């Protein structure tokens, strides 16, 4: 079955430092891995995604890496800013592109 | 606003009542998904439509839940005989034939 796990559950970083969130997934057939950012009371917002045919993708200060063999992928945020504070969800695709989500990571950027 | 919209944004109801939520996807998106999110958890998949066809339902979707997308555009999610355990944020997402799913703002349901 589908199982996506995220860790750590809470991450505090000093402004300007980097943050790394790791996720593992269970189904080797998963081929699409998005990351969503959710601020309090708002909708999940897609920030970056990666497909199984690449190992790394970068978009300005955020990057995602994928290790298919180990079935894990990570979100990297560099030069963190206070507006990066939010809950971040990883997800993995199953079946008809439905997504199984992790429980989320609370990232707190300390000014 | 050309994003996914949902209505209502908040719904408070008494246990045993029926409620219906609406989702309007991004206009050119043929795929529509419903998810449920509770506090401290990620969204959980409920059901999926491609155009007007409901292609998949989660086992989370009990017989009290029904969803429709009659013309392949907007969708409705109805919960009959609501229970306190139904209290959650109900999120709708849409996508084109690619994978990227874009979420609406959600409908927060409170069952008293």
């Amino acid at each position: 079955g589908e199982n996506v796990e995220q860790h750590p559950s809470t991450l505090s970083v000093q402004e300007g430092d980097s943050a790394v969130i790791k996720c593992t997934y269970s189904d080797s057939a998963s081929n699409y891995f998005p990351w969503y950012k959710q601020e309090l009371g708002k909708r999940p917002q897609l920030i970056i995604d990666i497909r199984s045919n690449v190992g790394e993708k970068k978009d300005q200060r955020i990057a995602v890496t994928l290790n298919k063999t180990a079935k894990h992928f990570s979100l990297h945020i560099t030069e963190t800013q206070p507006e990066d504070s939010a809950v971040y969800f990883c997800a993995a695709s199953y079946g008809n592109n439905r997504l199984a989500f992790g429980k989320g990571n609370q990232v707190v950027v300390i000014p | 606003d050309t994003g996914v919209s949902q209505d209502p944004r908040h719904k408070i109801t008494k246990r045993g009542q029926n409620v219906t939520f609406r989702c309007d996807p991004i206009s050119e998106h043929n795929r529509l998904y419903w998810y449920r999110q509770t506090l401290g958890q990620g969204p959980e998949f409920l059901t999926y439509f491609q155009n007007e066809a409901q292609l998949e339902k989660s086992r989370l979707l009990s017989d009290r839940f029904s969803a429709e997308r009659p013309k392949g555009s907007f969708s409705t999610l109805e919960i009959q005989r609501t229970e306190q355990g139904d209290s959650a944020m109900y999120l709708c997402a849409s996508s084109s034939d690619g994978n990227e799913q874009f979420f609406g703002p959600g409908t927060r349901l409170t069952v008293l």
Side-chain angles (χ1 to χ4, degrees):
Chain A
E2 57 258 25
N3 187 37
V4 177
E5 295 189 358
Q6 288 184 242
H7 42 91
S9 58
T10 304
L11 178 63
S12 295
V13 295
Q14 287 292 136
E15 182 178 356
D17 287 352
S18 295
V20 181
I21 306 169
K22 299 178 181 179
C23 278
T24 59
Y25 61 99
S26 59
D27 191 342
S28 56
S30 294
N31 59 9
Y32 174 67
F33 307 92
W35 284 90
Y36 287 83
K37 175 184 180 182
Q38 189 174 31
E39 297 175 71
L40 189 63
K42 296 192 176 180
R43 72 186 77 190
Q45 182 181 15
L46 179 66
I47 57 170
I48 196 168
D49 56 15
I50 192 167
R51 300 179 194 278
S52 59
N53 59 346
V54 298
E56 184 173 358
K57 183 177 178 180
K58 189 174 182 180
D59 183 4
Q60 299 182 344
R61 294 188 298 109
I62 59 174
V64 56
T65 58
L66 171 65
N67 183 327
K68 286 180 60 180
T69 303
K71 289 190 280 189
H72 68 70
F73 55 113
S74 300
L75 177 71
H76 305 251
I77 308 173
T78 59
E79 301 171 23
T80 53
Q81 301 169 3
E83 52 265 37
D84 294 329
S85 295
V87 178
Y88 291 82
F89 292 98
C90 64
S93 66
Y94 291 87
N96 289 310
N97 297 319
R98 60 185 171 85
L99 299 175
F101 284 82
K103 290 187 175 182
N105 294 94
Q106 175 74 59
V107 173
V108 178
V109 179
I110 303 166
Chain B
D1 186 357
T2 57
V4 179
S5 62
Q6 292 186 244
D7 183 70
R9 297 290 305 278
H10 304 272
K11 179 70 177 178
I12 299 174
T13 191
K14 292 182 179 179
R15 188 175 51 189
Q17 297 295 304
N18 299 343
V19 294
T20 300
F21 311 141
R22 177 180 170 123
C23 171
D24 286 90
I26 294 171
S27 59
E28 63 269 24
H29 285 183
N30 61 340
R31 299 184 181 196
L32 187 147
Y33 304 80
W34 284 98
Y35 292 85
R36 180 171 65 190
Q37 186 178 26
T38 54
L39 196 61
Q41 302 293 319
E44 294 176 296
F45 170 79
L46 293 178
T47 190
Y48 156 66
F49 289 85
Q50 183 162 329
N51 299 311
E52 66 275 10
Q54 187 174 19
L55 297 185
E56 192 169 356
K57 291 194 290 186
S58 165
R59 56 186 177 275
L60 291 176
L61 214 64
S62 77
D63 291 345
R64 298 184 296 106
F65 288 69
S66 62
E68 294 182 342
R69 195 183 183 197
K71 297 181 180 178
S73 56
F74 74 91
S75 175
T76 58
L77 177 68
E78 181 183 16
I79 310 174
Q80 295 182 327
R81 304 181 303 281
T82 51
E83 302 173 355
Q84 288 184 325
D86 297 332
S87 295
M89 175 74 84
Y90 289 84
L91 292 163
C92 174
S94 71
S95 73
S96 61
D97 286 334
N99 295 105
E100 296 87 351
Q101 294 184 26
F102 298 94
F103 281 87
T107 295
R108 181 167 296 283
L109 173 66
T110 302
V111 182
L112 302 177

